[in-house]
Amino acid sequence: MNNHPVFRINQTGYAAEMPVYIAFLGEGAVRLTDGSGRLLRELHQMPSPIDQSSGDPVSVLDLGILPEGCYTLENNGFVRKISVLKNPWQPVVEMMVKGLYFQRCGCELKKEYAGVYAHPACHTAPAAEWENRERIHRITGGWHDAGDYGKYVGPGAVTVGHLLYAWKLFPASFSGSLNIPESGNGIPDVLNEARYELDWILQMQRPDGAFYHKLTKDHFAPFIMPQDDTDPEYLMPVSHCATAAASACLALASRVYADYDIDFSGRALSAALRGWTWLEANPDFIPFRNPEGVRTGWYGEKTDSDDRFWAACELFAATGDMDFREAAENLYRSGQNLTQFGWSDVGGMGALCCLFDLREKAGSILYFRQKSDFLRQSENALKLSSASGYGTSLSPDHYVWGSILPIMANAISMILNYMLTGREDMRKAALLQWHYAFGMNALDLCFVTGLGEKSVMHPHHRPSGSDGIDDPVPGLIVGGPNKCFPYPVHRERLGEDLPPAKYYLDELPSADTNEIAIYWNSPTVFVGAFFMKVSHS
Ligand SMILES: [Zn+2]
């Protein structure tokens, strides 16, 4: 009776205080029984329409609010157990922040914190500037960005931004210990973990205020452990986007850490201000391109307007200087997408700063007008969710590389809409995105390593692929189905007819569907922290 193809659930469990939603692919009677076999509900379902993204006949069922306990779902002989718990997602959120600890570079991961995933320090050698090999820098720390061992300023900055706002808005969700080296120092562990990246970002600033785009090798390492990856790393050229995103995240950090470490807070603000000064002196956007001979991550962007917008908002919040507000207003007028929270578009991070921190102090454009623009723009996320059989907020033709990012960004947009309006439809749809990540999807798969009954086993992640341990490093989320930009060899294998939500391979070489990334963990942490707060209130 392990066969359960008609039920898709959040495999990490459900919260006792919130309605339980599952995806159902069958028809006829669905019986819900409790631990003692007592029938609680019987729902009669007509066949569902075909979901465009998955090709599945599927609907979301609302089982209502259930008390803590174990339950059984049954339909036509198919059975699946679900668990309802008091605080099911605290360990999930903690594991996903701890996942970033496992990405730490430049330090030993000790057995007492990392268990079987312990390894010696990596990437500790000094690095030369790519454009001037005579100039050597000793820069250590930061997180490995993704499945590779590169470190990139823009993606790191937005990852930190997600964590800091998750902590600012839902601090009670981060009260537990992560068992990291700093645990117990009087600072919440989520801030301890974010600080590890911030200390690295500070080192990536050039004396004139600009930030280097990345610290990587000229090629990706083979699947070896990080301490064995000893080819030289280089400081790649500075970029507008890296400088603006770093300035934004450091200005935010200056506020967040002021109560814990005033010296660090001051250094962060000063670095952010120097970054802004460089941006003012270099107004013409130049897109970053990999220098000739460099084949590591590109993270190229078409504009720095969104990064500058986020930076101006954060610098206004940190200093109260009206010049920053004026700069933010001008950038706002040029058009910002307020529901984007990824490395390539951080417009939503500016919205977070204005609508939830500055509020009325942001002024009529950045608060009142932005609020109404944000509410309008965030309707799209709900529309997409409503159109999907699984409730997934992504259109069939947008299963991109890293499709988990737009899905989590839409969850954040709907959460923020709910926080501004109290609309239950927004909160419910946001919850369906959370459930998607943990198994309520066309693949019946939990996309986070180490969680659930059936989760990713072969992520494109060098330590997981080379440590000799069967189970992958835990707490890391993969990018998921990708029909827009798969490797040609995978398109050939999977074929044109396979629906987009199933365009996925749990295989190590599949960077196109199965790579992990720090900036996919962090928005998921934000979403989980919100639902932890909801399940407690
Ligand atoms: Zn490293």
Side-chain angles (χ1 to χ4, degrees), residues 59 116 153 191 213 246 264 266 352 395 453 466 478:
S59 304
V116 295
V153 166
L191 300 188
H213 194 74
F264 172 71
L352 259 171
S395 67
E453 303 151 46
S466 56
V478 297

Side-chain angles (χ1 to χ4, degrees), residues 7-28:
F7 298 113
R8 303 295 156 82
I9 64 170
N10 184 329
Q11 298 177 16
T12 67
Y14 290 89
E17 301 81 357
M18 298 170 64
V20 171
Y21 302 112
I22 61 153
F24 177 58
L25 286 76
E27 58 180 276

Side-chain angles (χ1 to χ4, degrees), residues 105-106 122-123 144 226:
C105 181
C122 55
H123 304 110
H144 300 141

Side-chain angles (χ1 to χ4, degrees), residues 93-156:
V93 168
E94 288 176 352
M95 259 180 81
M96 294 193 74
V97 182
K98 179 79 179 256
L100 298 170
Y101 164 78
F102 287 112
Q103 294 292 96
R104 284 191 190 191
C105 181
C107 68
E108 179 188 1
L109 298 195
K110 292 191 173 152
K111 210 166 182 158
E112 57 194 297
Y113 312 115
V116 295
Y117 303 102
H119 67 72
C122 55
H123 304 110
T124 52
E129 291 179 19
W130 180 263
E131 294 170 305
N132 184 350
R133 306 295 167 90
E134 313 280 284
R135 298 173 65 93
I136 308 289
H137 301 256
R138 179 170 282 282
I139 294 174
T140 59
W143 296 313
H144 300 141
D145 175 65
D148 66 316
Y149 293 132
K151 286 152 286 178
Y152 305 78
V153 166

